[in-house]
Amino acid sequence: MDPLDACQLWFGALRGHRSRSAMLLLAIAIGVFAVTLLGGLGQGARAYVLGEFSLLGRDILIVLPGRNETTGGMPPITGMAPRPLTQADATALGRLPAVRRVAPLHAGQLEVSRDNRNRETLALGTTRAFFAIRQLHLAQGRALPELEPGQAEEVCVIGSRLRRDLFGNAPALGQWLRAGDRRFRVVGVLDERGESLGMDFSEALIIPVASAEVLFDRDGLFRVFVEVRGPSYMASARRQVLAALTERHQGEEDVTLLSQDSMLAAFDGILDGLTLALAGIAAISLLVAGILIMNVTWIAVLQRTAEIGLLKAIGASSAQVRLLFLGEAALLALLGAGLGLGLGELLLWVGRLASGLPLYAPWWARLGAPALALGAALLFAWLPANHAAAQAPVQALRPQGGR
């Protein structure tokens, strides 16, 4: 039996049993589609997280007030809040040997208005160093001025979308706006930039930290960003920051330090677990498809007993009969895998257009899913194919053999 004859037999069997073939194609396609789509979603989430934290920089430490904020523990049963971080704490951290610069941060929602236009926006109270630490670039004007600790000034930098909402096509630099019960003069407009680490800078109002304290009527800082002198200083900077704040807080270590590496490690562990869980679900679907292939192939062997006997009577060997059924299963697996892979890539492409996320199926999903589908098809079709190959021609040609 030459390869052309074998292909004609395979395609003829598929056309002769259209409903059965369609059912198997759908089962395999769903499994491959699940592997491709879920792998692409996991890869996209990983790339998005890496992109977000790459903006933070590897030389940055984020100091958060309280120890229970990231450990997942119960809040204090006394109901007392953790000791707040203050501007004095931030100033002390800026004097540490391993630290290059420090940016304290207040954050809150404020109503901002100009003339008859107003909107609710994110207000950030910080210093000039924040622009360098968070890699904020200006489209117009300048950043916040250098101010002494505790010095307030009625100036602000606004995001590009906030500028359009409040000023339209009119120039914004040098103009005044109202935030809460105070007025601020616009000295800069940020370049176009979307959301990063939960902050949408295109809609942000950035004011001096002392002005924010008065505006929000609170002393405790939301965060303190600490830039160390280089990656090699990270470990020593951690120790120095913890020691300095513990000493200032009467011997109590009541802050949490986050870095890009620690956040990436935490997210990486979560994403790895999700990827394994999703791969397990997809593998189960392919296993179910393989069992379905075995059952349907077994039924096909029983229904085609006379055909098997005829093939053996005209000289077909057991290996050729076995190849006939294995080839049908392999062809179904390849066609179903192609269908599932194409559908998965199509949905990922639509997702990229709709969300802007880097949703790309990883190479192991693109290669592994079809390979797994083919392997499952051949594995589960082997037993019925072997049964067909072992039949004797005379018994297979008996009338009762086909019943």
Side-chain angles (χ1 to χ4, degrees), residues 3-207:
L4 183 59
D5 290 335
C7 289
Q8 289 176 345
L9 284 171
W10 294 337
F11 280 105
L14 297 185
R15 288 194 300 268
H17 302 84
R18 287 186 175 87
S19 58
R20 185 191 72 192
S21 301
M23 180 174 59
L24 292 176
L25 276 173
L26 183 62
I28 296 171
I30 289 174
V32 175
F33 166 74
V35 174
T36 305
L37 182 63
L38 298 178
L41 292 175
Q43 192 77 1
R46 185 186 301 274
Y48 174 75
V49 170
L50 288 172
E52 286 291 293
F53 288 130
S54 67
L55 295 174
L56 181 61
R58 297 195 63 187
D59 303 339
I60 307 300
L61 278 173
I62 304 177
V63 186
L64 294 77
R67 291 289 297 170
N68 61 341
E69 190 159 343
T70 57
T71 59
M74 291 289 290
I77 58 175
T78 60
M80 298 179 60
R83 186 185 302 273
L85 289 169
T86 64
Q87 283 199 65
D89 290 332
T91 302
L93 296 182
R95 294 194 290 263
L96 297 176
V99 173
R100 176 177 289 134
R101 56 170 72 95
V102 170
L105 183 68
H106 275 294
Q109 293 292 122
L110 280 179
E111 183 175 301
V112 180
S113 62
R114 177 185 177 269
D115 296 336
N116 60 345
R117 301 183 179 186
N118 63 81
R119 61 165 302 166
E120 192 86 7
T121 192
L122 173 67
L124 303 175
T126 187
T127 61
R128 188 184 183 92
F130 184 74
F131 290 79
I133 291 175
R134 292 305 310 271
Q135 302 177 39
L136 299 178
H137 303 288
L138 293 166
Q140 301 173 32
R142 56 186 174 85
L144 295 178
E146 291 282 2
L147 301 173
E148 293 296 322
Q151 180 183 353
E153 191 167 329
E154 309 305 314
V155 296
C156 68
V157 175
I158 60 176
S160 56
R161 192 180 306 162
L162 183 60
R163 188 205 71 80
R164 289 193 297 269
D165 291 344
L166 295 181
F167 295 94
N169 295 324
L173 291 182
Q175 301 300 312
W176 291 82
L177 55 79
R178 179 169 291 277
D181 59 354
R182 294 185 174 269
R183 296 173 71 243
F184 294 89
R185 183 169 56 87
V186 178
V187 297
V189 178
L190 292 176
D191 200 358
E192 292 282 350
R193 180 171 174 179
E195 188 172 336
S196 174
L197 295 179
M199 296 182 183
D200 190 353
F201 288 103
S202 66
E203 298 185 350
L205 170 76
I206 305 178
I207 58 178

Side-chain angles (χ1 to χ4, degrees), residues 274-297:
L274 287 176
T275 301
L276 287 175
L278 296 176
I281 294 171
I284 290 173
S285 66
L286 284 176
L287 177 66
V288 172
I291 295 174
L292 181 61
I293 287 173
M294 181 177 68
N295 292 334
V296 172
T297 305

